[in-house]
Amino acid sequence: MTPRKLTALHLSLQLAALVLTLTTSIGWVGQSFHGFRLDPALFVSIINSAHWEGPKAGIQPEDQIQALDGVRMDSYEQFEAAIRSRAPGDSMNLEILRGDATQSLSLRVQAFTWGDWRDTTIPVLFLWLVLVAMATVTHLKAPPGAVASMPLLVFQGALALYVLAGVEFDLGGHLGPLGWLAFQAVSWSALMLALAFPTPVLRWAGFPVVLRNCVGFGSIALGLLTIIALEQATRVPSDHRLYTWVVWQGSAILAFLATVSLLASLALRAWRTRNLLHRRQAQITLVGALVAF
């Protein structure tokens, strides 16, 4: 497939993801809102705004919702339905698990406004646009036969998808494991990039095929485990051990290894590569990667 066709396919997938993300995220506007961002296993994810009712009541990241007004919450869908059945301004009492201790918090239901959507979405859409533009330009401008062209396209494209999916993941997770799979794709492609940019690390002719097979099987295995773990934790939040090991810890370890490998590879190439052009490429990319991370 030519670079132009690959770029066209990449842009088509990104636009489809954009439309899907916007559709699901806009669906929150005007709805009753619990006042914080929550992942599908009922863990508090991040808090975007100090004026939301959650931070006002003292809720913290990594708290897990146990019960609402004395009713045990056995799934994300149950919790969301309970919130939607209330009107903005209604009081509610949350029972949360913080570490090993159970606590109670009182807060009010609020409405998710266009202002909330704007503040949580527009900066992300701008970053997504920048990443997609970078992926398009770098792939089209890559010289023929550039080994790193494909890993770089996948890396930037996966990063753009992860940025998009993060908008909706913490507001319901209706797109399922897309956010986590995109995050893992960023890590896998970073590993590939570490071994290919600006020139291949190993010259053995069969190495790219072996590497692709290893990364392919590894990503499929971890992806399937992620789908299973996320589905299980969404249905039964109390049973989140597999979710924690695979989705949080497994993905974090993979991302750490990928980041260290990429930075170490760039640093090695920046000082030891004999080709001056390749050395400059590695040096510039290393500086940019350090700033970005």
Side-chain angles (χ1 to χ4, degrees):
M1 189 177 288
T2 65
R4 288 187 177 275
K5 289 182 178 179
L6 278 174
T7 302
L9 176 61
H10 172 251
L11 289 175
S12 299
L13 292 174
Q14 290 287 349
L15 288 174
L18 175 65
V19 171
L20 188 59
T21 302
L22 289 179
T23 300
T24 54
S25 64
I26 289 175
W28 270 84
V29 177
Q31 299 286 346
S32 296
F33 178 50
H34 35 66
F36 48 89
R37 298 184 75 161
L38 193 68
D39 84 353
L42 295 182
F43 283 100
V44 177
S45 178
I46 56 175
I47 298 169
N48 289 91
S49 177
H51 80 269
W52 283 357
E53 294 297 328
K56 286 182 181 179
I59 204 159
Q60 298 178 11
E62 299 186 17
D63 290 344
Q64 188 184 34
I65 306 300
Q66 300 286 295
L68 173 61
D69 291 336
V71 179
R72 184 170 180 82
M73 294 291 105
D74 294 320
S75 69
Y76 184 89
E77 288 76 10
Q78 180 189 3
F79 179 74
E80 183 180 306
I83 296 296
R84 296 287 177 91
S85 68
R86 289 162 166 76
D90 289 351
S91 297
M92 61 178 175
N93 187 73
L94 289 178
E95 185 178 300
I96 62 168
L97 183 65
R98 180 175 295 169
D100 296 325
T102 301
Q103 301 184 23
S104 294
L105 292 176
S106 296
L107 65 157
R108 292 184 179 276
V109 178
Q110 65 181 93
F112 193 81
T113 66
W114 279 109
D116 292 325
W117 182 87
R118 177 199 63 213
D119 294 341
T120 58
T121 305
I122 297 302
V124 172
L125 295 183
F126 175 75
L127 179 57
W128 171 85
L129 183 63
V130 171
L131 289 168
V132 171
M134 287 172 56
T136 302
V137 172
T138 51
H139 192 65
L140 288 176
K141 294 295 184 180
V147 178
S149 180
M150 179 61 75
L152 185 58
L153 178 67
V154 176
F155 176 80
Q156 293 170 320
L159 188 56
L161 284 177
Y162 174 63
V163 166
L164 267 186
V167 171
E168 195 273 341
F169 184 84
D170 291 309
L171 290 175
H174 298 297
L175 298 183
L178 176 63
W180 283 111
L181 295 178
F183 179 70
Q184 291 167 9
V186 173
S187 301
W188 289 116
S189 56
L191 285 172
M192 295 286 288
L193 198 58
L195 296 168
F197 181 78
T199 55
V201 172
L202 299 179
R203 298 291 182 178
W204 171 44
F207 180 72
V209 176
V210 173
L211 179 63
R212 282 198 298 269
N213 289 338
C214 290
V215 171
F217 287 127
S219 59
I220 290 173
L222 183 60
L224 289 175
L225 277 174
T226 298
I227 293 171
I228 294 170
L230 188 57
E231 174 63 22
Q232 180 184 31
T234 302
R235 287 187 292 105
V236 188
S238 58
D239 185 12
H240 56 78
R241 284 179 298 175
L242 181 64
Y243 175 77
T244 302
W245 291 342
V246 174
V247 177
W248 285 106
Q249 296 178 359
S251 297
I253 291 172
L254 175 62
F256 174 77
L257 292 175
T259 301
V260 171
S261 298
L262 181 57
L263 292 177
S265 174
L266 288 171
L268 182 65
R269 242 65 85 66
W271 301 113
R272 297 191 62 180
T273 300
R274 294 181 179 180
N275 185 295
L276 181 59
L277 175 60
H278 293 160
R279 185 185 301 174
R280 293 297 186 199
Q281 288 176 327
Q283 290 172 345
I284 292 171
T285 308
L286 177 61
V287 172
L290 288 172
V291 171
F293 287 128

